[in-house]
């Protein structure tokens, strides 16, 4: 009969390795389950495609408001339209000061870079992420805004200004609704542009 003797230090080493492997397996399974729960919870509360409407406020040199609508196509892709109107006045007396209307619209595309921070930080309770915003904007502007020699405003003095806006944004979702903030740069800024860049915008949307 052969008797196999196991040295104490070898037994401890084997036990330690086995324990580490078991703990690692349990941790991996837990991480997988947590990630699955996050994805299931996210899809339950945020299930595209759906339509939304909203409002954003922009601040650069001037304050302007934008009404927007769009479609959340997938969990990462969002496309939409935005309408803008702004009344500008340089003085309280119309006979002395200058006043004009700026209006227009844009189309935009948003792509999520980080869809949900809860996939990275498990203790977070809210659905928040980071996205890239790209926008093509058309604004109808009075040329007398830039040329003081044009004392009267008429349709002949107005022109269409084209802008391409790009920048990052942060979004916090509540089911299909959200609040957001973003900072945008104009990559095709014309000389006759009344705005300063970058622009900072905040707003909200309501999905249905």
């Amino acid at each position: 009969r052969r008797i196999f003797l196991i040295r104490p230090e070898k037994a401890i080493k084997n036990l330690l390795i086995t324990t580490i492997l078991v703990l690692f397996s349990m941790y991996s399974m837990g991480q997988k389950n947590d990630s699955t729960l996050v994805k299931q919870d996210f899809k339950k509360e945020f299930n595209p495609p759906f339509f939304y409407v909203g409002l954003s406020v922009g601040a650069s040199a001037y304050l302007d408001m934008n009404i927007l609508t769009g479609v959340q196509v997938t969990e990462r892709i969002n496309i939409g339209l935005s309408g803008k109107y702004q009344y500008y006045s340089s003085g309280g007396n119309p006979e002395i000061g200058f006043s004009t209307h700026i209006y227009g619209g844009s189309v935009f595309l948003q792509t999520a870079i980080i869809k949900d921070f809860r996939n990275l930080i498990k203790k977070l309770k809210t659905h928040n992420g980071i996205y890239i915003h790209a926008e093509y904007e058309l604004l109808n502007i009075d040329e007398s805004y830039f040329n003081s020699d044009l004392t009267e405003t008429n349709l002949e003095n107005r022109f269409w200004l084209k802008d391409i806006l790009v920048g990052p944004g942060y979004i916090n979702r509540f089911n299909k609704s959200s609040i957001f903030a973003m900072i945008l740069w104009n990559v095709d800024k014309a000389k006759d542009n009344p705005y300063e860049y970058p622009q900072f915008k905040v707003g909200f949307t309501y999905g249905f």
Side-chain angles (χ1 to χ4, degrees), residues 108-157:
F108 61 85
L109 169 68
Q110 295 176 347
T111 302
I113 303 302
I114 300 178
K115 183 175 63 176
D116 193 342
F117 274 110
R118 296 190 311 162
N119 292 324
L120 303 176
I121 306 174
K122 306 301 180 182
K123 293 184 179 180
L124 292 178
K125 302 298 183 182
T126 58
H127 305 287
N128 46 21
I130 299 293
Y131 61 90
I132 294 296
H133 179 98
E135 182 174 352
Y136 180 73
E137 181 180 63
L138 285 173
L139 297 178
N140 192 276
I141 299 177
D142 194 336
E143 190 177 349
S144 54
Y145 182 98
F146 308 98
N147 189 349
S148 58
D149 294 335
L150 300 176
T151 57
E152 295 183 1
T153 62
N154 54 62
L155 294 178
E156 294 180 357
N157 293 336

Side-chain angles (χ1 to χ4, degrees), residues 41-56:
D41 188 26
F42 185 84
K43 289 182 178 180
K44 180 181 178 181
E45 299 182 3
F46 175 67
N47 188 24
F50 60 83
F51 293 91
Y52 63 85
V53 294
L55 178 71
S56 68

Side-chain angles (χ1 to χ4, degrees), residues 7-8 25 43 51 77-79 83 100 133 149 163 173-174 182 188:
R7 297 179 181 179
S25 299
K43 289 182 178 180
F51 293 91
I77 298 177
N78 169 26
I79 58 175
T100 186
H133 179 98
D149 294 335
D163 296 322
R173 298 192 179 279
F174 306 91
M182 55 186 171
D188 190 29

Side-chain angles (χ1 to χ4, degrees), residues 52-55 68 171 173 176-180 203-207:
Y52 63 85
V53 294
L55 178 71
L68 54 96
I171 190 167
R173 298 192 179 279
K176 293 182 179 181
S177 302
S178 69
I179 57 175
F180 62 87
F204 70 91
T205 63
Y206 176 79

Side-chain angles (χ1 to χ4, degrees), residues 2-63:
R2 295 183 180 180
I3 300 177
F4 296 93
L5 298 177
I6 301 177
R7 297 179 181 179
E9 60 271 17
K10 187 175 182 180
I12 294 174
K13 181 179 179 181
N14 292 338
L15 179 62
L16 181 60
I17 293 175
T18 303
T19 303
I20 292 175
L21 291 175
V22 171
L23 291 176
F24 181 77
S25 299
M26 294 175 63
Y27 175 78
S28 299
M29 292 178 63
Q31 290 289 92
K32 184 177 181 181
N33 291 336
D34 287 345
S35 179
T36 301
L37 289 175
V38 168
K39 292 180 180 179
Q40 289 177 350
D41 188 26
F42 185 84
K43 289 182 178 180
K44 180 181 178 181
E45 299 182 3
F46 175 67
N47 188 24
F50 60 83
F51 293 91
Y52 63 85
V53 294
L55 178 71
S56 68
V57 179
S60 56
Y62 309 101
L63 188 68

